[in-house]
Amino acid sequence: MKKNYFLTGILSIIPLAITYFIISKLFTLFSNPGQKMIKYAFPNMSLPFIDIVIGFLLTVLFIYIVGLIVSNVLGRKFYKLFESILNKIPLVSYIYSTIKQITDTLTISQKHAFKKVVFIEYPKKDIWTIALVTGESKDQNGENYYQVFVPTTPNPTSGFMLYLKKENVKDTNLSVDEGLKIVISGGMLAPETNDI
């Protein structure tokens, strides 16, 4: 019994510890460039906490300016050129493309490219798969269809696009973000009760 309590305690602490570790590392990562600028401009300044906060704000401002530049036509061309150079470097291209696919997935979900999450019988009857509705259409006889995207695990940016009759699709109560979490985790983050 005591062993179970210890295991439960460890499993409860691990997510909190990892979350704290990632957030603190990201804060340090984003505040360091700004801190260096402040130390260079004001070498005699000795207020560590203010130094960190101002450094963080300067770095966030820099990231905002980069986003502004990349959003315009000329900036986008330079960014594409930089990406093409990265994609030619063996190990770097694999790491970069993987991270880029994950961030693209998050961006797609934020733009509401997917209308809702549904279940479909795929690849055969009685086997249910999560699919994301991307649009609706009608066939030549006026029957209603969904265009659905079936994402693959663990990389949801690849998958299959299918036309399915609306009657062959089962609605879920999942949000797009919840559906993507289930796909990316290989079902480990799925709720205990499904809508099948």
Side-chain angles (χ1 to χ4, degrees), residues 73-90:
V73 179
L74 188 63
R76 203 175 296 122
K77 282 183 179 176
F78 277 115
Y79 186 70
K80 292 283 180 191
L81 178 67
F82 180 68
E83 276 191 324
S84 67
I85 293 166
L86 282 180
N87 287 328
K88 289 175 183 172
I89 304 168

Side-chain angles (χ1 to χ4, degrees), residues 80-165:
K80 292 283 180 191
L81 178 67
F82 180 68
E83 276 191 324
S84 67
I85 293 166
L86 282 180
N87 287 328
K88 289 175 183 172
I89 304 168
L91 181 62
V92 174
S93 66
Y94 176 76
I95 295 166
Y96 178 76
S97 63
T98 304
I99 294 167
K100 185 88 164 70
Q101 285 172 347
I102 292 166
T103 54
D104 285 348
T105 302
L106 296 173
T107 308
I108 286 167
S109 68
Q110 285 169 2
K111 288 180 180 173
H112 302 290
F114 303 128
K115 300 188 186 313
K116 61 179 178 175
V117 180
V118 295
F119 283 117
I120 62 169
E121 288 187 288
Y122 179 86
K124 64 177 188 173
K125 191 172 168 53
D126 294 327
I127 294 179
W128 294 89
T129 302
I130 283 182
L132 302 154
V133 175
T134 56
E136 299 180 29
S137 58
K138 292 186 178 186
D139 67 9
Q140 294 177 347
N141 300 321
E143 285 197 72
N144 293 313
Y145 282 75
Y146 278 135
Q147 285 100 257
V148 299
F149 176 71
V150 181
T152 54
T153 299
N155 176 14
T157 57
S158 64
F160 308 94
M161 185 269 168
L162 307 169
Y163 283 96
L164 289 171
K165 286 183 181 177

Side-chain angles (χ1 to χ4, degrees), residues 44-86:
N44 297 325
M45 188 173 171
S46 60
L47 296 168
F49 181 71
I50 293 172
D51 192 27
I52 290 167
V53 172
I54 294 171
F56 180 78
L57 292 174
L58 280 173
T59 307
V60 169
L61 180 65
F62 172 74
I63 291 167
Y64 176 80
I65 292 166
V66 168
L68 198 65
I69 293 167
V70 171
S71 296
N72 69 49
V73 179
L74 188 63
R76 203 175 296 122
K77 282 183 179 176
F78 277 115
Y79 186 70
K80 292 283 180 191
L81 178 67
F82 180 68
E83 276 191 324
S84 67
I85 293 166
L86 282 180

